[in-house]
Amino acid sequence: MFLVWPALKGFYMSLHNWDPFVPSESEFIGLDNYIELFNDPVFWDAMKGTIYFVALSVPLLVIVGLGLALGVNKNVKGKRVLRAIYFSPYILTVAVVTLIWSEVYSESYGLINHYLGYVMSDPPGWLTSTELAMPALAFMTVWWLVGFNFVIFLAARQSVPERLYEAARLDGASTWRAFKDVTLPQMRNSILFVVIIQFILQFQVFAQPFVLTTGGPRGSTDTLVYYLYRSAFSQHQYGYGAAIGYVLVMILVLIAIINFKVIGTND
Amino acid sequence: MTRDRISTKSRRRFIQSVGATGAVSLAGCTGGSSGYTISFWELFSGGEGPVMEDIVQKFNDEQPLDVDEEVKIDRQRTPWDQYYNNLYTTLAGGSGPDLAVMHAAYLRAWDDTIVPMDNYIDTEEIEGDYLDNHWDLVSVEDETRALPMDLHPVGMYYNKGIFEEAGLDPESPPTNWEEFQAAGNAIAEETDKSAFSQTPYNDGFGSWRTWSTLVKQQGGELFDSDWNPTFDGQAGQETSELFWDMTGDMEWSSQTTEADWGANAFENGNLGMTMNGTWYVATLEESDIDWGFFKPTIAPNKTQDQVWADGHTIVLPGNQNRSDEKSEIAAEVAHWLTTENPEWGARAGHLPAAADIRESDVFQNASFYDKTLSKYLEMAEDDMYFYHPKVPNGDPNSESWYQWLLDMWGHNYGSPQEALDDGVSEISNGLEE
């Protein structure tokens, strides 16, 4: 009831020029919203922005998460403290995260430019440059969310039987060889799980551009869900917003299918 | 004020509804013999928020309405950038509040969502309580859709210390383009501060207030009678080039789109002049800077004195579950809120809509009366204000409508004309919804 009904209603809305006040009088327009969407340059810019954000954030979320997990799995000093530190940003809400990073990224008074000011006369505007804004949002997102992946990877690494590493050592395998032939295959399912989850989550990026850049400068941080929000809740085009939502769902289903196929062929 | 102001039209309907549904409708959803709780949504932040909070508190303490029941206001504040989205969504769900603050610019596009005020209060009788230009603000197609609360035009705020440092007389601020240009250049050349920011918030909508003011002063028109954008005429082009040059060749400001850049710079004493609305006074009163104010009639090649303004109004959002009696009480509350509270001017800095307030001691003894209020009043008397367009469709306060102005200021386009073309296209699309 809480999933199927709204999903069906959303699809129904996407086929109408939706009137929120008298829904029964909404005009049926078939696939017009979808056709309009495919001819809408803002939609394509938002799509490009989303893909760019996913391409920047997902690999880093996986690689950094894995690196941190393997790092503290070793007998390093203070590893318990490190585990807590790596995980801690994940428990913050997006509002707190954006507040912290607005202080870090600010062009005129931010932490980064404060220190850069000692070595360069005109430090860049991290959130106000069309080239840097999206990478800045992606970096912030990695800092915020990598703790979740870290915990998954740490659990997966700890469940790899030590005897496999002993066997590898006896065979004279280098650290790299042990990583490639023991760690990676043993952790494959966890890695794929994280990759799928992160694809799905990062494709839905919304709060970072909404709060920090309002999609700017010049649309460089616009994303699909932010455009959906603007269409539905700011411009009151609910049918159009629902159509964007459905295209997004189809993309996510496609990504999930591709990823499951990868798991299937390897198992 | 008395219940006599309840219109005969609504009285008739009220009696009919009681006749039809009996005592059940009298009880309403929160009404009945125990009293009424009027839910009231507003969006005031910064210095205005506490003033509205005090006004509501005063109402709840004093019970000023001449009615038998106890009436309580239940105030709910939503930040301005989410307010209208929330309000619209709630109204679409059919469960809107009893009263809501709404900018006059929305009164045409949102007419489906609100109940005209004259359904529930005798507007002919209370019209005289308000100043004429405010009353015009809430009238759309000869219908009184709301009660006016204030006008909040823009003006120019400046830092007297920076004027002095630049060799300017801090007590003689600019009155025309030549003087404004000389002041800006002096600050840029003689100090290490920035000369001017188009809006302290560095946002699109704030940029529009300043930009459209300068366009109108140069004889430009913003829309034609069919609501087609016409702001890209010669005045629009010249104003765009001026914006471009201010962060370019003139070096009056950083070429940045950073949110709140101007607010941080001005309030930290690093910015000479900025253009903003009446409400800014509440923030500046709490800062340490020695600030002054002048009329923003400083466009180059000025042909007329025109200054952007909009106003807060109070509306009765549509709600099928609200009894007519409760709507009548809500209308009385709106009348009280808009006519009995000089603090809204004296502390929040706006020009209150009620005629009596202008003459009241509280208003005229405001600490910043001479500095800002009296000058805003002179502009009102000289009929200088033009209103933010009450568009038929779309969201006239939408940031996405004016983002091009911010990107123009930050030189994120190849030329000011490219930005202007984008603006026409964005606003045309927004109006076609």
Side-chain angles (χ1 to χ4, degrees):
Chain A
M1 184 176 155
F2 294 112
L3 184 69
V4 178
W5 173 242
L8 290 176
K9 176 135 188 216
F11 184 64
Y12 181 75
M13 279 170 79
S14 76
L15 303 177
H16 289 77
N17 190 4
W18 194 254
D19 179 344
F21 293 98
V22 197
S24 57
E25 286 182 16
S26 297
E27 181 195 357
F28 179 78
I29 52 168
L31 294 176
D32 281 7
N33 277 329
Y34 291 91
I35 294 164
E36 193 184 333
L37 205 58
F38 282 91
N39 293 312
D40 176 357
V42 183
F43 170 75
W44 287 110
D45 283 345
M47 176 77 89
K48 274 186 230 158
T50 309
I51 292 172
Y52 183 40
F53 179 80
V54 168
L56 288 169
S57 61
V58 173
L60 277 177
L61 278 163
V62 176
I63 293 167
V64 175
L66 190 61
L68 294 177
L70 298 182
V72 297
N73 189 56
K74 293 222 169 76
N75 257 339
V76 289
K77 211 175 169 186
K79 66 180 179 184
R80 281 172 192 281
V81 178
L82 284 176
R83 282 177 197 176
I85 291 173
Y86 293 157
F87 188 69
S88 56
Y90 185 71
I91 61 173
L92 300 175
T93 65
V94 69
V96 175
V97 171
T98 48
L99 202 66
I100 293 171
W101 283 85
S102 65
E103 303 285 319
V104 174
Y105 282 144
S106 168
E107 187 177 345
S108 45
Y109 62 87
L111 196 69
I112 299 177
N113 284 5
H114 173 76
Y115 289 110
L116 278 181
Y118 292 118
V119 288
M120 58 199 291
S121 60
D122 197 13
W126 299 97
L127 297 174
T128 56
S129 140
T130 46
E131 288 87 28
L132 294 174
M134 194 61 112
L137 293 190
F139 184 82
M140 178 192 100
T141 305
V142 171
W143 175 87
W144 175 33
L145 297 179
V146 78
F148 173 79
N149 304 344
F150 161 73
V151 169
I152 301 281
F153 287 141
L154 187 62
R157 172 61 186 82
Q158 290 181 344
S159 65
V160 178
E162 274 307 309
R163 58 186 164 76
L164 295 180
Y165 289 101
E166 282 166 23
R169 261 199 304 278
L170 286 174
D171 289 344
S174 63
T175 311
W176 167 247
R177 188 74 195 267
F179 171 73
K180 193 164 80 70
D181 290 339
V182 179
T183 312
L184 276 186
Q186 290 292 317
M187 291 179 69
R188 196 189 63 222
N189 282 353
S190 307
I191 292 170
L192 285 171
F193 167 75
V194 166
V195 168
I196 293 171
I197 290 287
Q198 290 303 339
F199 257 114
I200 290 172
L201 287 179
Q202 301 321 320
F203 234 95
Q204 298 177 73
V205 56
F206 166 71
Q208 297 92 317
F210 175 63
V211 179
L212 279 179
T213 58
T214 58
R218 220 187 151 186
S220 61
T221 57
D222 204 3
T223 67
L224 281 179
V225 178
Y226 186 40
Y227 188 42
L228 184 163
Y229 170 84
R230 288 206 309 276
S231 300
F233 298 107
S234 183
Q235 306 293 344
H236 309 142
Q237 296 172 296
Y238 288 89
Y240 197 62
I244 299 174
Y246 257 83
V247 171
L248 182 67
V249 166
M250 285 184 268
I251 293 169
L252 295 181
V253 167
L254 200 69
I255 289 172
I257 289 172
I258 292 170
N259 279 303
F260 276 117
K261 283 229 186 272
V262 173
I263 294 174
T265 50
N266 280 298
D267 258 349
Chain B
M1 103 201 49
T2 69
R3 296 297 297 280
D4 294 343
R5 283 178 176 146
I6 293 171
S7 69
T8 47
K9 190 166 50 171
S10 66
R11 236 186 240 294
R12 211 176 305 125
R13 210 185 25 227
F14 174 51
I15 292 165
Q16 281 167 356
S17 74
V18 173
T21 56
V24 176
S25 71
L26 258 180
C29 42
T30 50
S33 57
S34 61
Y36 288 91
T37 300
I38 303 295
S39 55
F40 172 46
W41 282 23
E42 51 100 336
L43 72 175
F44 302 115
S45 57
E48 305 162 298
V51 181
M52 183 48 77
E53 194 179 338
D54 289 350
I55 289 172
V56 168
Q57 186 65 43
K58 183 170 90 174
F59 181 93
N60 289 339
D61 290 346
E62 293 179 3
Q63 290 295 310
L65 297 194
D66 185 15
V67 292
D68 295 335
E69 303 89 347
E70 185 184 2
V71 181
K72 192 169 164 285
I73 301 177
D74 178 20
R75 185 183 68 96
Q76 184 181 327
R77 192 190 80 83
T78 307
W80 136 268
D81 54 352
Q82 293 154 37
Y83 178 75
Y84 285 107
N85 295 351
N86 284 8
L87 185 62
Y88 195 88
T89 310
T90 312
L91 291 171
S95 56
D98 300 317
L99 289 177
V101 168
M102 186 173 283
H103 283 88
Y106 286 99
L107 292 177
R108 191 192 305 271
W110 286 41
D111 64 338
D112 285 350
T113 73
I114 57 177
V115 186
M117 225 9 124
D118 49 12
N119 284 11
Y120 290 104
I121 194 163
D122 189 341
T123 47
E124 276 176 27
E125 189 169 336
I126 60 169
E127 184 178 340
D129 296 347
Y130 299 96
L131 291 152
D132 289 346
N133 52 348
H134 291 259
W135 197 252
D136 294 345
L137 195 68
V138 294
S139 304
V140 181
E141 287 150 18
D142 295 332
E143 191 176 61
T144 306
R145 301 226 167 133
L147 293 187
M149 195 167 150
D150 62 48
L151 272 186
H152 50 254
V154 287
M156 196 78 82
Y157 299 81
Y158 72 102
N159 181 318
K160 290 187 178 178
I162 295 178
F163 263 51
E164 220 164 81
E165 199 184 326
L168 301 159
D169 178 359
E171 303 309 325
S172 304
T175 57
N176 56 39
W177 167 249
E178 284 69 29
E179 291 171 11
F180 183 65
Q181 187 183 32
N185 287 341
I187 295 169
E189 285 159 20
E190 304 298 328
T191 75
D192 58 355
K193 321 285 190 203
S194 297
F196 174 68
S197 122
Q198 88 288 23
T199 160
Y201 316 119
N202 237 18
D203 62 331
F205 185 30
S207 304
W208 171 265
R209 295 187 192 113
T210 298
W211 187 85
S212 61
T213 295
L214 297 179
V215 170
K216 291 281 280 187
Q217 286 179 13
Q218 294 173 81
E221 281 304 325
L222 304 176
F223 297 92
D224 67 15
S225 56
D226 293 324
W227 292 103
N228 298 306
T230 53
F231 52 76
D232 58 339
Q234 195 187 343
Q237 290 171 21
E238 284 177 8
T239 309
S240 298
E241 274 164 32
L242 181 62
F243 256 42
W244 186 267
D245 290 344
M246 280 176 170
T247 56
D249 295 344
M250 290 159 77
E251 295 182 349
W252 277 20
S253 167
S254 289
Q255 213 171 77
T256 181
T257 57
E258 180 170 272
D260 290 330
W261 181 87
N264 291 327
F266 195 69
E267 288 151 38
N268 290 325
N270 292 318
L271 176 63
M273 301 179 280
T274 189
M275 208 151 140
N276 202 9
T278 49
W279 57 86
Y280 203 34
V281 71
T283 306
L284 295 181
E285 282 287 272
E286 288 172 10
S287 75
D288 293 332
I289 65 165
D290 183 12
W291 59 279
F293 175 88
F294 58 94
K295 296 175 187 174
T297 48
I298 44 75
N301 305 315
K302 188 178 74 176
T303 61
Q304 53 187 356
D305 283 330
Q306 291 275 285
V307 175
W308 178 97
D310 197 0
H312 294 117
T313 75
I314 299 188
V315 297
L316 277 172
N319 184 338
Q320 292 165 348
N321 299 322
R322 188 169 56 229
S323 68
D324 283 343
E325 186 171 38
K326 194 176 186 194
S327 296
E328 287 164 359
I329 299 255
E332 290 287 351
V333 172
H335 182 246
W336 181 88
L337 285 169
T338 50
T339 55
E340 301 288 335
N341 296 288
E343 301 85 358
W344 193 241
R347 284 173 57 204
H350 299 303
L351 297 183
D356 287 353
I357 290 178
R358 295 264 172 103
E359 313 302 327
S360 73
D361 287 346
V362 176
F363 183 69
Q364 297 204 352
N365 291 335
S367 58
F368 44 81
Y369 183 84
D370 290 339
K371 224 185 228 180
T372 67
L373 290 172
S374 60
K375 289 169 189 146
Y376 278 124
L377 286 176
E378 283 169 19
M379 290 193 275
E381 276 153 23
D382 293 340
D383 209 14
M384 286 188 187
Y385 297 137
F386 72 92
Y387 297 129
H388 193 50
K390 284 198 196 94
V391 293
N393 289 302
D395 180 356
N397 291 1
S398 164
E399 276 302 327
S400 63
W401 276 29
Y402 312 108
Q403 191 69 34
W404 55 280
L405 274 168
L406 187 58
D407 283 320
M408 178 196 281
W409 186 258
H411 285 222
N412 287 332
Y413 284 96
S415 69
Q417 184 64 43
E418 198 186 334
L420 191 55
D421 293 344
D422 239 14
V424 169
S425 149
E426 178 71 39
I427 293 176
S428 303
N429 291 340
L431 282 163
E432 277 170 15
E433 286 160 20

